[in-house]
Amino acid sequence: MRWKLVTCAVASLTALPLAVAVPAGAAPTGPYRAEIRRTAYGIPHVKAADYAGLGFGEGYAFAQDNLCVMASHLVTLAGERSRYFGPDAATDDPLVSTSNLASDVYQRAELRSGTVRRLIAQPAPLGPTREVRDIVRGYVAGYNRYLRDTGVSRLPDSTCRGAAWVRPMTELDVYRDMYQVTQLEGAEQAIGPIVDAAPPTAGKAVRTKPPVLPKADAGSNAYGLGREATRGGTGGMVLANPHFPWAGVGRFYQVQLTIPGRLNVSGVALYGTPLVEIGHTEHLAWSHTVSTAARATFYRLTLVPGDPTSYVVDGHREAMTKRTVTVQVRGKDGRLSSVSRTLYDSRYGPVVADGWTTTNAYAIRDVNARNVRAMNTWLAMDQADSVARLRKAQDTYQGIPFTNTIAADSTGHAYYADASVAPHVTDDQLKTCAVDGPELALDGSTSRCAWGSDPDAIEPGIFGPSRTPRLSRTDYVTNSNNSPWLTNPDAPLTGFPQVFGDTGTERSLRTRLGLDMVKQRLAGTDGLGPRGFDLASLRRTMLGDRDLSAELLRDQLVAYCRAHPTLTATDGTSVDVRAACRVLADWDLRTDTGSKGAVLWRAFFFAAAASRLFRTPFDPAHPVTTPRDLNTADPGVGRALADTVQRMTALKVPLDEPLGAAQRYAGIAIPGCPGGEGCFNAIYPASLPLQADGTYSDVTSGSSFIIAVSLTSAGPRASTILTYSESANPSSPHHTDQTRLFSAKRWVQDRFTDAEIASDPAYRTTRVTG
């Protein structure tokens, strides 16, 4: 096939390697045609006449910016990390904590099983729609086109330039990547225990401790604001604030995708996925937050006496199935050798290492193990122009893997749903089938404890749309990773199955702050102008950088330390805390980069975490305002302040060190704080204790893509920030340009119409064909 590229540079964006250019207006050849229009900060607006061409343009643009990150992830999907990077290092995926060897064994076993091939061979709605197949096909062709044009030896990113492990992408890679994403809150978190599982043998230590399923390091905030919450009382608004990794394949890529008359959506896509997962169309906007619904259950297997690889269900013996997988491992001397592992499966799913004794074992069943519908769902949402159509898209495909949805449209309707895939475990089963062991462990010896189903469910084993938590309002809906209960405190969500989350329990400080910010804005008491949201006040609310723990407790701590100017540290040393009192008293209670006192407060707050910090306990009747008040009767409070002053003094860190001097990314000061401290703008350094130089290790996750959207009858008005910027290539001009904006609390104007895009001073267009 011949390849042609037509380029028209209106303003220089960056030096991009190009294929052989042809004169403008030359007739393109081949099935793929797209126009990549770049605006400020390197944001691509891809336009094509069909889905295959659209995918081609997006794949090409994405490869220009982030090929090395994706190339590394393709090594992961192939189960070849140990071959190129050694078996002991951690993988490149910050959301899945495992070694290269464990990852390789797991991925090779998955490839060998052919699961994804079988699932995508199904017709829609269970398998990919024709439009999804087209956009995936085009995306792969576009990515590979860029790689072919440029050549591995000439890649602009030195991270993988000339590397033997860089290879073309396949369509199966894209589906397997999305399949991996769907299981991030389930089996992906159990890779190590699945790979390590082995039956007990004589002389071998048995891991009797029951298994634990950790949560992926991801979260989010979101507002859906209806017409009663917005100034002017017409259209709705959305604030999206996902908290995802700042490095690796878990990053977002900002893009607009347009097929005139059929699709026009702007937002972000996870690396390697060709669809917008969070964003807006002309009259609809939405975001996602990680939900509290279960994604997997453990089943305790009752083993056959004398045979630890067989178990009993309803009195009948069943044998575990075995899969032996061999991977190539590079030793420290550079030589390759083979390592083989045997994995064990049950009717419920993979068997895990922990808790496998001579009498019992545990298997994990992931509710997304058959879900390749996620891309169908998101593409249908990308085509939606109202809350009603978004709801229909989700009900039709039922593929949202692990998140809530918060949305609003230009008619002023706001909407919340946990429309994610959840295991059909009834409240009665949670009582009668629960067994000793991990959370959500059920009795695997009886089919009575198997997952059920609903008539409106797209497949057996999951709850149908009619059973999931939903709320439609004309004022507001919110979520900050707590359960659906207080989506709107005026309309608590109750009565849904317990596997979706709890009710009547303490909310996080971040959830409480998010609700309080809405309450104050609607009352006009936050100092941001007349009551109700407009785009300016929504932006300022998002980046106000309030710290709720400090608002609740700082003044009482200052009063306490003024009354007790000398406190005793854990090691028995008497510590003068008067200077710390003055710093805290003068602090603005914000986590801006210039805030003096934020570093001191964070150190105290987490040092006091083991104490009974709050005097007034949680009250279900007042869930947004309790717990509160500093419990100065607990000796741990004073000790935590003494320890904090003692440590900062020993490190020679000023007690009034500005936050921006300590919290950085690529040398850039970053505002915000960990969500557990009570910040809405959640920011997470790799480790919290101050290092010897008085800084935290670099930020690794938190606020990632922020968008404030006003949905007017004349079209969307939006402001965005991609906190870590568009390109992972350190030599790209778009590697940290938006990071500097984030540091300064400045926003990017979202350009949605053709006229808005073409008027950008940095506009440059490239037509790609193939």
Side-chain angles (χ1 to χ4, degrees):
M1 179 183 294
R2 295 183 63 194
W3 303 88
K4 294 188 178 182
L5 179 71
V6 182
T7 302
C8 176
V10 176
S12 178
L13 178 71
T14 181
L16 298 173
L18 302 176
V20 177
V22 298
T29 61
Y32 304 113
R33 300 182 182 87
E35 183 180 10
I36 304 170
R37 301 167 295 171
R38 299 264 188 175
T39 54
Y41 306 99
I43 298 169
H45 306 257
V46 183
K47 190 175 185 179
D50 53 41
Y51 285 99
L54 192 67
F56 184 84
E58 184 186 6
Y60 194 99
F62 173 75
Q64 287 177 311
D65 295 322
N66 296 295
L67 185 140
C68 285
V69 174
M70 197 64 212
S72 176
H73 189 56
L74 295 181
V75 178
T76 301
L77 293 173
E80 295 184 336
R81 297 201 67 81
S82 299
R83 176 178 182 178
Y84 292 105
F85 310 119
D88 300 325
T91 68
D92 62 340
D93 189 344
L95 290 169
V96 179
S97 178
T98 189
S99 68
N100 284 339
L101 179 59
S103 174
D104 288 345
V105 171
Y106 184 83
Q107 295 293 342
R108 297 296 293 180
E110 198 282 321
L111 272 169
R112 182 175 171 180
S113 74
T115 298
V116 175
R117 290 182 186 273
R118 290 194 300 274
L119 292 174
I120 63 176
Q122 303 172 106
L126 293 176
T129 64
R130 179 177 178 178
E131 292 85 355
V132 166
R133 294 182 191 277
D134 284 348
I135 202 168
V136 167
R137 174 167 55 87
Y139 187 84
V140 169
Y143 178 96
N144 291 341
R145 161 70 192 276
Y146 172 77
L147 180 59
R148 173 179 170 173
D149 288 347
T150 308
V152 176
S153 64
R154 298 187 303 276
L155 289 171
D157 188 346
S158 61
T159 306
C160 68
R161 185 187 305 133
W165 43 268
V166 177
R167 66 166 175 85
M169 180 188 287
T170 69
E171 292 176 43
L172 183 61
D173 287 329
V174 176
Y175 290 115
R176 289 188 64 234
D177 176 50
M178 180 54 76
Y179 185 68
Q180 185 180 42
V181 168
T182 65
Q183 297 182 78
L184 277 175
E185 291 288 327
E188 286 287 316
Q189 299 301 318
I191 288 177
I194 289 171
V195 169
D196 290 342
T201 57
K204 178 183 176 182
V206 177
R207 292 162 63 167
T208 57
K209 187 176 180 181
V212 175
L213 187 66
K215 302 289 285 184
D217 185 17
S220 302
N221 304 311
Y223 290 165
L225 304 170
R227 57 179 175 266
E228 293 181 41
T230 59
R231 289 187 199 163
T234 53
M237 301 181 74
V238 165
L239 174 68
N241 177 218
H243 304 154
F244 262 59
W246 282 30
V249 74
R251 283 167 51 124
F252 289 113
Y253 185 63
Q254 188 172 358
V255 66
Q256 182 178 3
L257 304 175
T258 304
I259 301 176
R262 299 173 65 187
L263 174 78
N264 196 9
V265 60
S266 182
V268 288
L270 285 168
Y271 277 23
T273 64
L275 306 165
V276 167
E277 284 107 14
I278 293 174
H280 70 88
T281 61
E282 186 175 4
H283 297 294
L284 171 75
W286 72 92
S287 189
H288 294 299
T289 63
V290 176
S291 97
T292 54
R295 302 300 154 208
T297 62
F298 287 106
Y299 275 93
R300 191 182 69 184
L301 308 179
T302 299
L303 302 179
V304 174
D307 183 359
T309 60
S310 294
Y311 57 98
V312 176
V313 181
D314 294 336
H316 300 286
R317 176 176 183 156
E318 294 188 11
M320 296 177 186
T321 57
K322 304 176 185 178
R323 289 177 291 167
T324 299
V325 177
T326 300
V327 300
Q328 295 293 303
V329 174
R330 184 171 300 279
K332 295 181 179 178
D333 60 0
R335 296 181 180 179
L336 290 176
S337 61
S338 296
V339 173
S340 296
R341 294 282 180 87
T342 299
L343 281 66
Y344 296 82
D345 285 288
S346 71
R347 65 155 59 188
Y348 302 107
V351 180
V352 297
D354 296 310
W356 194 343
T357 67
T358 56
T359 57
N360 295 109
Y362 290 90
I364 183 171
R365 184 176 181 186
D366 191 312
V367 74
N368 284 296
R370 294 182 52 81
N371 180 14
V372 292
R373 308 179 303 276
M375 283 197 284
N376 292 349
T377 312
W378 274 310
L379 182 55
M381 291 168 60
D382 289 350
Q383 296 165 327
D385 235 16
S386 68
V387 162
R389 288 193 63 190
L390 176 144
R391 179 170 181 165
K392 182 178 180 181
Q394 294 187 335
D395 290 355
T396 298
Y397 296 107
Q398 298 173 38
I400 298 297
F402 56 83
T403 58
N404 303 294
T405 301
I406 295 87
D409 62 23
S410 58
T411 68
H413 287 89
Y415 179 65
Y416 162 86
D418 188 347
S420 61
V421 188
H424 195 292
V425 180
T426 66
D427 294 357
D428 181 65
Q429 284 178 308
L430 290 178
K431 295 177 182 177
T432 61
C433 292
V435 296
D436 293 338
E439 185 179 4
L440 282 178
L442 306 176
D443 185 355
S445 69
T446 171
S447 57
R448 175 177 57 83
C449 298
W451 295 353
S453 192
D454 285 334
D456 59 341
I458 197 169
E459 65 174 357
I462 68 173
F463 282 107
S466 63
R467 301 283 300 278
T468 60
R470 298 169 184 241
L471 185 64
S472 296
R473 304 281 295 182
T474 52
D475 53 358
Y476 70 92
V477 294
T478 73
N479 187 265
S480 292
N481 304 128
N482 278 135
S483 73
W485 178 41
L486 294 185
T487 292
N488 183 310
D490 292 332
L493 285 170
T494 59
F496 51 85
Q498 292 179 34
V499 295
F500 283 99
D502 52 17
T503 60
T505 57
E506 185 175 333
R507 305 291 92 175
S508 71
L509 289 173
R510 178 160 56 88
T511 289
R512 290 169 59 186
L513 177 59
L515 291 170
D516 187 61
M517 291 193 304
V518 171
K519 179 182 177 181
Q520 289 195 19
R521 181 82 299 270
L522 297 187
T525 58
D526 57 4
L528 300 180
R531 59 188 299 175
F533 283 94
D534 60 7
L535 197 56
S537 61
L538 185 57
R539 289 194 302 254
R540 292 180 66 189
T541 297
M542 171 65 229
L543 295 183
D545 284 315
R546 290 173 54 186
D547 186 321
L548 185 60
S549 66
E551 292 180 13
L552 293 172
L553 304 174
R554 188 276 307 267
D555 290 349
Q556 295 164 66
L557 181 62
V558 169
Y560 176 77
C561 65
R562 282 174 174 168
H564 303 83
T566 301
L567 296 171
T568 304
T570 299
D571 64 4
T573 303
S574 293
V575 178
D576 186 336
V577 296
R578 288 176 296 179
C581 264
R582 289 192 293 271
V583 171
L584 291 174
D586 292 339
W587 177 32
D588 60 6
L589 296 179
R590 305 280 173 166
T591 56
D592 297 329
T593 57
S595 294
K596 297 181 178 181
V599 173
L600 175 62
W601 178 261
R602 182 181 303 179
F604 159 76
F605 184 76
F606 287 105
S611 306
R612 193 164 63 87
L613 195 57
F614 292 99
R615 185 175 74 247
T616 302
F618 171 71
D619 181 354
H622 302 283
V624 183
T625 57
T626 60
R628 64 174 184 270
D629 307 319
L630 185 65
N631 182 26
T632 55
D634 189 321
V637 171
R639 187 163 55 244
L641 182 58
D643 287 348
T644 297
V645 173
Q646 185 184 56
R647 173 166 172 75
M648 292 183 70
T649 301
L651 292 175
K652 298 182 179 179
V653 177
L655 297 176
D656 63 349
E657 179 180 38
L659 178 60
Q663 185 166 274
R664 305 179 78 80
Y665 174 80
I668 300 168
I670 303 297
C673 78
E677 187 180 331
C679 283
F680 195 76
N681 180 23
I683 293 293
Y684 301 93
S687 61
L688 284 180
L690 286 170
Q691 302 175 113
D693 63 355
T695 68
Y696 306 112
S697 49
D698 256 19
V699 170
T700 56
S701 65
S703 294
S704 45
F705 175 66
I706 308 172
I707 180 169
V709 189
S710 177
L711 298 154
T712 75
S713 58
R717 301 290 180 265
S719 301
T720 68
I721 311 174
L722 188 64
T723 57
Y724 38 67
S725 306
E726 192 76 303
S727 176
N729 175 8
S731 64
S732 168
H734 307 302
H735 181 57
T736 57
D737 52 354
Q738 290 198 58
T739 312
R740 289 187 287 275
L741 285 183
F742 179 51
S743 177
K745 300 191 178 187
R746 294 170 55 201
W747 297 72
V748 179
Q749 178 186 343
D750 181 70
R751 295 181 180 272
F752 190 71
T753 67
D754 286 345
E756 290 169 343
I757 293 166
S759 67
D760 190 296
Y763 177 75
R764 170 178 177 162
T765 183
T766 303
R767 292 195 294 273
V768 289
T769 67

